């Protein structure tokens, strides 16, 4: 492990990153775009960002900073370059906040990061849809302010726009596969699940932060990005399967959210694995109880997962997947430092939230 990978260095990097957040807020609320006539709207923007962009693990944003430190050439070891990496890291965190505000509405979620979802707060409701747009537009204002004029500016813009589109395609597939009004277990195939995960989670959570750092460090070759993508999309699948397991079996006091995948008729890893193992009678039980808000029915589905040994299957999957991921890193980290990828994998391995 590199010097920067020690727990002390990681804690210091996180403290520095979070400490930069007030500057982000100032940049977004105190610029030449804002005249007194929109002061109320700008006040709302400040409230939206301060509620929704903080309180998470910051893994995506910190990955931008850590990867840039590993990749930066001798001419990029200055304070301004590292500050830009912090800014781009916060742009990734804002993209995450944008997706989560909207996703919580679509999933009828109750809590996020240990607090009520934004739309559940008194007086917010579906106004949160527009609030999510405010968060998204903030990304491009920050990129323009700090990166315009840099050789990587266009690559970053295209990366953020492409990743947003890919994530939205994944969300569309997720919603189409799991309509709340109709439970159709035949939709829950392993192939559909993998496609949803790749597009909805892996591109923005794993490829985006590393690719952004690569572009900032001047690494823009297709081959280098293809190698990184091969590792990071696999890592994204690993991460989402963990998320699916924690949604059902995680402790809300630790995860900060109450899982709703069963009620929301989601195409999750657990239901796909359940269908592989279920007898005809168990499949009928699943059909009668999945995708419904009744907590007794949710409990029956969880019990079925237990009866089919899915917690043990998950532990086995986590071990084998980590080994497969390590082999992928050794295979594809040709001209890129393997530590970037091993550091990410170690952060999520055996996670509880």
């Amino acid at each position: 492990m590199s010097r920067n990978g020690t727990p002390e260095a990681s804690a210091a990097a996180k403290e520095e990153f979070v400490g930069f957040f007030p500057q982000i807020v100032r940049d977004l609320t105190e610029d030449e775009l804002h005249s007194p006539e929109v002061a109320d709207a700008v006040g709302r923007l400040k409230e939206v960002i301060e509620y929704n962009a903080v309180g998470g693990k910051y893994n995506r944003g910190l990955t931008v900073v850590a990867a840039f430190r590993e990749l930066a050439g001798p001419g990029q070891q200055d304070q301004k370059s590292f500050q830009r990496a912090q800014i781009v890291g916060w742009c990734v965190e804002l993209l995450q906040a944008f997706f989560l505000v909207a996703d919580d509405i679509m999933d009828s979620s109750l809590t996020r990061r240990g607090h009520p979802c934004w739309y559940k707060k008194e007086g917010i409701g579906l106004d949160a849809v527009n609030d999510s747009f405010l968060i998204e537009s903030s990304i491009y204002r920050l990129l323009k302010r700090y990166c315009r004029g840099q050789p990587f500016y266009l690559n970053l813009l295209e990366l953020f726009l492409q990743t947003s589109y890919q994530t939205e395609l994944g969300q569309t597939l997720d919603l189409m596969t799991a309509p709340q009004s109709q439970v159709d277990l035949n939709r829950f195939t392993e192939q559909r699940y993998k496609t949803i995960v790749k597009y909805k989670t892996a591109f923005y959570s794993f490829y985006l932060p590393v690719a952004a750092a690569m572009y900032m460090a001047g690494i823009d070759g297709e081959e280098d990005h293809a190698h990184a993508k091969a590792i990071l999309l696999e890592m994204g699948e690993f991460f989402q399967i963990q998320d699916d397991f924690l949604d059902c079996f995680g402790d809300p006091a630790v995860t900060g959210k109450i899982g709703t995948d069963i009620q929301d008729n989601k195409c999750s890893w657990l239901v796909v694995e359940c269908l592989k193992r279920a007898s005809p009678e168990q499949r009928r039980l699943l059909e009668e109880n999945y995708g419904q808000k009744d907590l007794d029915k949710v409990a029956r589905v969880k019990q079925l997962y237990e009866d089919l040994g899915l917690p043990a299957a998950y532990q086995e999957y986590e071990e084998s997947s980590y080994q497969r991921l390590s082999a992928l890193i050794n295979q594809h980290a040709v001209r890129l430092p393997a530590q970037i990828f091993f550091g990410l994998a170690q952060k999520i391995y055996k996670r509880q939230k």
Side-chain angles (χ1 to χ4, degrees), residues 77-98:
Q77 302 286 336
D78 59 286
Q79 188 57 35
K80 260 198 166 171
S81 294
F82 288 126
Q83 184 191 63
R84 270 194 293 268
Q86 300 262 21
I87 297 290
V88 174
W90 272 110
C91 287
V92 177
E93 288 295 322
L94 288 171
L95 187 69
Q96 157 87 336
F98 158 54

Side-chain angles (χ1 to χ4, degrees), residues 222-238:
E222 285 186 20
E223 188 180 347
D224 287 327
H225 278 264
H227 280 299
K229 197 177 290 183
I231 298 166
L232 295 162
L233 294 185
E234 180 76 17
M235 201 177 292
E237 182 177 307
F238 176 47

